[in-house]
Amino acid sequence: MSGGAEYSVPVGPIHAALEEPVLFNFKVDGERVVDVEVVPGQNHRGVEWMGMQRNPVQVIYLAEKICGICTVCHAYSFVRAVEHISGIESTPRADYIRAILAELERMHSHLLWAGIAAHEIGFDSLLHYTWKVRENEMDLREMITGNRVHYDMFMIGGVRRDIKQDQIPKILETLKYYKDNFEKLGKLFLQDKVIKMRTQGVGVLTKEDALKLCAVGPTARASGVPKDVRQDQPFGAYLDIPVKAITPDALTGEVHGDVYDRIIVRLLEVKQSIEIIEECLKRMPEGPILAEPNITRLLIQLKKAHGEGIGRHEAPRGEVYHYVRMDASDKVTAWKVRAPTYANVMPWVPMLKGQQIADIPIVAASTDPCMSCTDRAVVVKEGQKPYMISGEELHKMSVEKTRRMMA
Amino acid sequence: MNPEEIVEKFKSKFGAGVLDAKVQTKSGGVSKTQYHFVWMTLERPLLKDAVRFLASEWQPHLSVISGVDLGNILELTYHFTVGWGVRLGEIPVSIRIDLPKDDLTVPTITDIIPGALITEREKQEMLGIKVIGIPDARRLFVPETFPEGVYPWRKDATGVQPEHVKKLWEVGRLKLTPTGQGVAVNVEKAAAPSAPAKKENAGAN
Amino acid sequence: MKLVKSLDKSLWVFHVNSGSCNGCDIEIVAALTPRYDVERFGIKLVGSPRHADVLLVTGPVTKPMRERIKRIYDQTPDPKVVMCVGTCGSTGGVFYDSYTLDGPIDDVIPVTIYVIGCPPRPEAIIDGVVKAWAKLEELRGETKKKEGKK
């Protein structure tokens, strides 16, 4: 098939690996990817511009809707930035509730990703199993916050709902369910021969590239970069509860930076999250959950706020960075959101180079891209005649590769 | 490493070139442990030297570049973090330069930190600055159909004007019949089955 | 609306994200997975609009996606039903004004079923799908009648 000629293959924006749109332009030689170009922008909603037309309390709800999977991290980061500017401090109890929410989100997000990754290599029964396990956690979040996905829990100076004493046994019970199932999940994802075949040595990101291209989150950690905001510059409850960044050598003693390592990091982080939540529940102080419960008074106070602040949080996908500037007016003067996928777009290039077309879905999915955060797509051109590789075909190629390897 | 040390090092290296430097300290949790942020304003020509200095002294991670329109000037802030990898060891260092509106150019830092490309491309389309030497100057997020010369983050005449904005909530307000459980059926607009001839048209796409 | 006793075929769904936040999208996938398991009724997500009976559209429609959604709508064979999932697709929701949005969905293609919520629960989505099913049966009935008259 390879005759030295290179073809260019666009993939997207209605995408194979992802639910969201992004366009990849691939140059291929036979089955091998020679070069990749990522074209985001299909999902750009101008959220930052919208935020600059609104007051800080309105922006919290907009920030949550940046992404449906990491809703906590954007709201948390924004709220922290505004708190730094205005000097309003969140109450200690709110700090703990925030950390519990953030860790619950990490568990749900990693399980969701693990399911999608299994689907990408054609292991659909594992997708269904992981998502079934994930539902218990969704129930927990619904019980605490009142909604399954967007919870609108965050407020400047605290949170809007308390965790009541009678909810704690249910939380502990669900955490126990995950601990009991963890062994099984670990065995399914890490011992399975098919998963090993499809992920080991695939989509490698070296430590040098991860540093050079500013990778964040599990993508960077799987390449041996021990970077985690909760460890490096802890905030809120993480100041009391030490967190250590997880790298794959914790389990295997080696760092390869491939897709398999990214699975290891995420699975270990689920376990870590369970431990953090338990610790939070043990140490959670009594007290109010809001520094200023009266929203009118809060808005007056915010109207006087002047200055700039940085809000950071370790989202399931990596570091979220919000920069906010307020100039004593009712609107936010400037708001810059740096979502983790934004930083993980560049590392896609070395990961995808040299891979087979059938590996594109699993490699692209391995950074857990969230384009609604960043802003997504797939098409193929052979010579001058453009044709499309649909998401379905690409997925089929990936599944067929698994079958071939098993045969 | 402490934040004052970083400021001192910059001051001894660049002297009066450091126009302003401050350390912001915050705390949280029950233990009220402190953490810090460093903010520095530098003279504009020093940007590249400062980034090079930062890269040689520490191993910085570039988080993002942010920009604000302040009327006569555009303020560009490069948000780095240094000292990661150790608990409580990391300090965000934000380096700021001011660009006058009549000369909106800035050198690229992609030769020092290749990962800066995405954020530099974004600053070009959002603020209308020109990054000299950028390896890829195309648009990133803003759609191709969006008019040239309009920069969403600008607050002057080149910013987003009312005619660029669509008010989604005003579009086609319909009378919906709620049917319970958060589901409404729009009876009038229901798709009617079309003639077989039209079907072929649809398939030709 | 009551479902008829026998159905002509199982329902195939094509899902389009027009710039949504992913919240609705994960709830759609949740509806397919074991807890809610709509696949037991033969409802499944398909990879091409040409196989679909129902289009599930989420998101407030970004400018680059507007033409694509129209194209996907044209590619879907008749009779078809469009379901708009989520508040931002129905009215813009929290994204009520922006320079890169060109929605809501019913401004681009005709929508039959609106499922409101940010995001709607999987139960609400399933309820919407049931209503789409009834609507489709009705549309098929009309087509059959017309063909019968000829």
Side-chain angles (χ1 to χ4, degrees), chain A residues 121-392:
Chain A
I121 54 173
F123 201 160
D124 274 350
S125 47
L126 191 52
L127 159 77
H128 287 282
Y129 177 72
T130 346
W131 279 61
K132 183 187 135 219
V133 171
R134 175 178 163 267
E135 282 294 334
N136 290 35
E137 207 265 322
M138 300 293 277
D139 290 346
L140 204 57
R141 292 196 295 162
E142 191 179 357
M143 179 186 79
I144 298 172
T145 68
N147 203 5
R148 284 164 55 93
V149 176
H150 290 303
Y151 346 103
D152 299 335
M153 276 283 275
F154 282 77
M155 182 48 71
I156 293 150
V159 289
R160 301 202 318 155
R161 277 175 191 234
D162 204 353
I163 293 180
K164 292 172 200 75
Q165 203 54 43
D166 57 345
Q167 290 176 332
I168 291 174
K170 172 78 184 155
I171 300 174
L172 291 173
E173 189 190 313
T174 312
L175 293 180
K176 190 174 172 297
Y177 168 81
Y178 282 101
K179 277 200 266 184
D180 295 345
N181 273 278
F182 187 77
E183 286 290 306
K184 190 176 174 187
L185 269 174
K187 207 173 144 211
L188 284 170
F189 276 99
L190 300 177
Q191 308 294 326
D192 188 87
K193 207 175 136 203
V194 181
I195 292 189
K196 274 189 177 171
M197 277 195 302
R198 285 300 307 272
T199 58
Q200 282 183 336
V202 175
V204 174
L205 179 72
T206 60
K207 191 173 177 179
E208 291 80 64
D209 280 344
L211 288 173
K212 211 169 68 186
L213 300 171
C214 304
V216 294
T219 312
R221 289 197 283 275
S223 298
V225 182
K227 203 176 176 317
D228 187 321
V229 182
R230 297 172 297 164
Q231 165 198 282
D232 302 336
Q233 198 190 28
F235 47 90
Y238 299 115
L239 284 164
D240 306 339
I241 301 166
V243 179
K244 195 177 175 305
I246 290 177
T247 46
D249 48 340
L251 188 75
T252 57
E254 292 163 43
V255 176
H256 301 284
D258 53 9
V259 178
Y260 187 71
D261 277 0
R262 282 170 220 140
I263 301 178
I264 298 178
V265 169
R266 291 204 173 88
L267 281 178
L268 293 180
E269 283 187 10
V270 172
K271 201 173 175 193
Q272 191 185 36
S273 291
I274 299 173
E275 286 158 8
I276 296 174
I277 298 171
E278 283 178 338
E279 200 59 36
C280 283
L281 287 173
K282 249 184 249 162
R283 297 195 190 187
M284 191 155 67
E286 290 298 321
I289 53 164
L290 273 172
E292 175 54 78
N294 185 317
I295 194 112
T296 322
R297 249 181 279 159
L298 178 73
L299 276 172
I300 293 168
Q301 217 173 325
L302 288 171
K303 218 172 158 174
K304 290 182 203 141
H306 180 89
E308 50 201 341
I310 292 169
R312 303 168 73 209
H313 176 59
E314 186 73 20
R317 290 159 183 74
E319 176 205 27
V320 174
Y321 200 105
H322 281 223
Y323 164 80
V324 181
R325 186 188 175 108
M326 301 204 315
D327 283 330
S329 85
D330 48 0
K331 283 180 194 168
V332 172
T333 311
W335 181 32
K336 175 70 203 128
V337 178
R338 207 295 314 271
T341 308
Y342 186 105
N344 284 340
V345 164
M346 302 271 300
W348 254 338
V349 178
M351 266 186 228
L352 285 162
K353 267 189 198 172
Q355 301 298 318
Q356 287 189 358
I357 297 181
D359 285 329
I360 292 172
I362 181 69
V363 174
S366 72
T367 69
D368 199 357
C370 180
M371 300 311 288
S372 62
C373 286
T374 310
D375 140 312
R376 291 139 233 233
V378 188
V379 198
V380 182
K381 230 188 251 168
E382 192 171 310
Q384 289 307 307
K385 197 174 124 231
Y387 69 93
M388 305 268 290
I389 288 190
S390 72
E392 192 182 26

Side-chain angles (χ1 to χ4, degrees), chain A residues 15-207:
Chain A
H15 204 269
L18 318 155
E19 294 289 326
E20 304 161 273
V22 66
L23 178 76
F24 291 102
N25 277 316
F26 289 103
K27 271 210 178 72
V28 294
D29 176 10
E31 280 282 303
R32 209 168 48 84
V33 176
V34 181
D35 202 6
V36 198
E37 180 205 16
V38 187
V39 189
Q42 320 290 331
N43 215 340
H44 179 69
R45 287 160 295 180
V47 169
E48 287 152 342
W49 179 84
M50 284 187 253
M52 292 181 217
Q53 323 296 319
R54 301 181 192 182
N55 77 38
V57 173
Q58 288 170 323
V59 177
I60 303 174
Y61 303 103
L62 188 61
E64 291 208 321
K65 269 88 187 175
I66 289 175
C67 177
I69 304 174
C70 26
T71 155
V72 164
C73 58
H74 287 291
Y76 201 165
S77 303
F78 178 77
V79 163
R80 275 190 72 204
V82 176
E83 284 167 2
H84 289 171
I85 298 170
S86 62
I88 301 170
E89 270 185 36
S90 74
T91 63
R93 190 175 175 86
D95 276 345
Y96 278 77
I97 297 175
R98 285 176 178 187
I100 292 172
L101 284 173
E103 295 309 319
L104 281 174
E105 180 178 80
R106 189 177 325 275
M107 283 168 69
H108 121 82
S109 178
H110 283 347
L111 287 172
L112 178 147
W113 173 84
I116 301 280
H119 168 73
E120 292 310 336
I121 54 173
F123 201 160
D124 274 350
S125 47
L126 191 52
L127 159 77
H128 287 282
Y129 177 72
T130 346
W131 279 61
K132 183 187 135 219
V133 171
R134 175 178 163 267
E135 282 294 334
N136 290 35
E137 207 265 322
M138 300 293 277
D139 290 346
L140 204 57
R141 292 196 295 162
E142 191 179 357
M143 179 186 79
I144 298 172
T145 68
N147 203 5
R148 284 164 55 93
V149 176
H150 290 303
Y151 346 103
D152 299 335
M153 276 283 275
F154 282 77
M155 182 48 71
I156 293 150
V159 289
R160 301 202 318 155
R161 277 175 191 234
D162 204 353
I163 293 180
K164 292 172 200 75
Q165 203 54 43
D166 57 345
Q167 290 176 332
I168 291 174
K170 172 78 184 155
I171 300 174
L172 291 173
E173 189 190 313
T174 312
L175 293 180
K176 190 174 172 297
Y177 168 81
Y178 282 101
K179 277 200 266 184
D180 295 345
N181 273 278
F182 187 77
E183 286 290 306
K184 190 176 174 187
L185 269 174
K187 207 173 144 211
L188 284 170
F189 276 99
L190 300 177
Q191 308 294 326
D192 188 87
K193 207 175 136 203
V194 181
I195 292 189
K196 274 189 177 171
M197 277 195 302
R198 285 300 307 272
T199 58
Q200 282 183 336
V202 175
V204 174
L205 179 72
T206 60
K207 191 173 177 179

Side-chain angles (χ1 to χ4, degrees), chain B residues 1-27:
Chain B
M1 177 182 9
N2 62 52
E4 286 79 19
E5 214 176 290
I6 298 174
V7 174
E8 273 320 304
K9 273 195 176 167
F10 264 86
K11 277 193 175 157
S12 60
K13 169 94 183 166
F14 297 107
V18 183
L19 300 175
D20 183 31
K22 65 174 182 203
V23 177
Q24 203 180 14
T25 301
K26 298 285 164 190
S27 66

Side-chain angles (χ1 to χ4, degrees), chain C residues 28-150:
Chain C
I28 290 169
V29 182
L32 293 162
T33 49
R35 168 75 69 91
Y36 299 96
D37 197 15
V38 293
E39 279 193 12
R40 73 200 137 127
F41 305 120
I43 301 171
K44 65 172 208 169
L45 281 186
V46 289
S48 162
R50 292 173 209 272
H51 302 161
D53 307 292
V54 174
L55 282 183
L56 266 180
V57 194
T58 58
V61 189
T62 59
K63 278 183 180 161
M65 292 306 284
R66 188 182 169 102
E67 280 311 306
R68 294 193 179 109
I69 288 173
K70 269 192 193 157
R71 216 163 110 184
I72 288 168
Y73 180 78
D74 289 340
Q75 285 173 352
T76 315
D78 286 323
K80 59 192 161 200
V81 167
V82 178
M83 255 175 89
C84 158
V85 178
T87 304
C88 60
S90 315
T91 63
V94 72
F95 313 112
Y96 52 78
D97 58 350
S98 170
Y99 59 96
T100 56
L101 295 183
D102 203 357
I105 293 160
D106 56 10
D107 195 36
V108 188
I109 53 173
V111 176
T112 317
I113 315 274
Y114 296 86
V115 184
I116 314 289
C118 190
R121 292 180 58 87
E123 286 94 332
I125 298 173
I126 295 169
D127 189 30
V129 171
V130 171
K131 292 197 161 67
W133 213 334
K135 184 76 204 164
L136 265 177
E137 289 293 318
E138 212 175 274
L139 290 174
R140 275 202 204 99
E142 279 169 29
T143 321
K144 268 187 202 156
K145 241 190 244 165
K146 265 188 211 160
E147 278 167 2
K149 271 177 194 168
K150 276 176 205 166

